[in-house]
Amino acid sequence: MEFLFNHSGLAIGLLGAALSACLSAAGSSVGCGIAGEAGAGLVTEQPEKFGKVMILQVIPGTQGLYGLAVWFFALLQMGVLNGTAGDMTVVKGLQYFAACMPVAFGGWISAIAQGKVAAASINILAKKPEHWSKGMILCITVEFYAILSLLASFMMLVNIK
């Protein structure tokens, strides 16, 4: 039992890092897909609006980048990237796991919500093109919470001793 306690921490930390990247990316792909479906309908009728539709569709993809940044930073902190990762206790592994969870879940959920807002914003673009920037502001409101989850994960990661 002592062996597991002293040597399985790295696996737990790596699991947290992997979830930060995977869940954020999964949420981003769903969010971008939702917005892309709405955008495809508009672009078939009004192809000149492709640029604005593309901007709105890409916005939910940022959460995937946030999760990847936390994944990279966690691996760096654990010593995986420079070859210094050694025996890590379960407690230390759980600290890394917990530090990765805000961006994992915050990125996952906010990307899907942002995709829905982006789809609604594409409807604004279709009906009142002069007001499309209002839809961008609505998307940025959701982005704020994704940034908060990124900040929470980074703050916890830098404070693991």
Side-chain angles (χ1 to χ4, degrees), residues 117-136:
V117 173
S121 299
I122 289 169
N123 287 332
I124 293 173
L125 176 61
K127 295 176 183 171
K128 300 258 186 184
E130 65 277 9
H131 294 290
W132 88 281
S133 60
K134 293 176 182 175
M136 293 261 310

Side-chain angles (χ1 to χ4, degrees), residues 42-43 46-54 125-129:
L42 177 58
V43 170
Q46 300 174 36
E48 68 278 2
K49 293 183 178 171
F50 174 75
K52 292 178 180 178
V53 166
M54 183 67 173
L125 176 61
K127 295 176 183 171
K128 300 258 186 184

Side-chain angles (χ1 to χ4, degrees), residues 1 14 52 84 131 137 147:
M1 189 64 147
L14 289 172
K52 292 178 180 178
T84 61
H131 294 290
I137 292 169
I147 292 169

Side-chain angles (χ1 to χ4, degrees), residues 3-161:
F3 177 82
L4 284 176
F5 185 78
N6 290 328
H7 299 288
S8 60
L10 183 60
I12 295 168
L14 289 172
L15 177 62
L19 286 172
S20 73
C22 292
L23 289 178
S24 295
S28 285
S29 66
V30 171
C32 288
I34 291 167
E37 288 176 17
L42 177 58
V43 170
T44 58
E45 296 295 321
Q46 300 174 36
E48 68 278 2
K49 293 183 178 171
F50 174 75
K52 292 178 180 178
V53 166
M54 183 67 173
I55 291 169
L56 289 167
Q57 189 209 1
V58 168
I59 292 173
T62 57
Q63 285 86 333
L65 295 173
Y66 300 159
L68 188 65
V70 167
W71 169 82
F72 180 79
F73 192 67
L75 265 60
L76 189 64
Q77 290 282 99
M78 288 187 275
V80 172
L81 297 179
N82 62 9
T84 61
D87 296 339
M88 184 185 298
T89 66
V90 171
V91 171
K92 180 81 79 174
L94 286 170
Q95 288 175 331
Y96 282 107
F97 183 89
C100 293
M101 289 304 98
V103 79
F105 286 98
W108 174 38
I109 294 167
S110 68
I112 294 169
Q114 195 172 49
K116 293 175 182 177
V117 173
S121 299
I122 289 169
N123 287 332
I124 293 173
L125 176 61
K127 295 176 183 171
K128 300 258 186 184
E130 65 277 9
H131 294 290
W132 88 281
S133 60
K134 293 176 182 175
M136 293 261 310
I137 292 169
L138 295 172
C139 289
I140 292 167
T141 303
V142 181
E143 186 75 21
F144 175 72
Y145 294 98
I147 292 169
L148 288 180
S149 67
L150 171 67
L151 181 62
S153 285
F154 268 119
M155 293 299 292
M156 287 193 281
L157 283 171
V158 298
N159 285 299
I160 295 174
K161 304 287 183 230

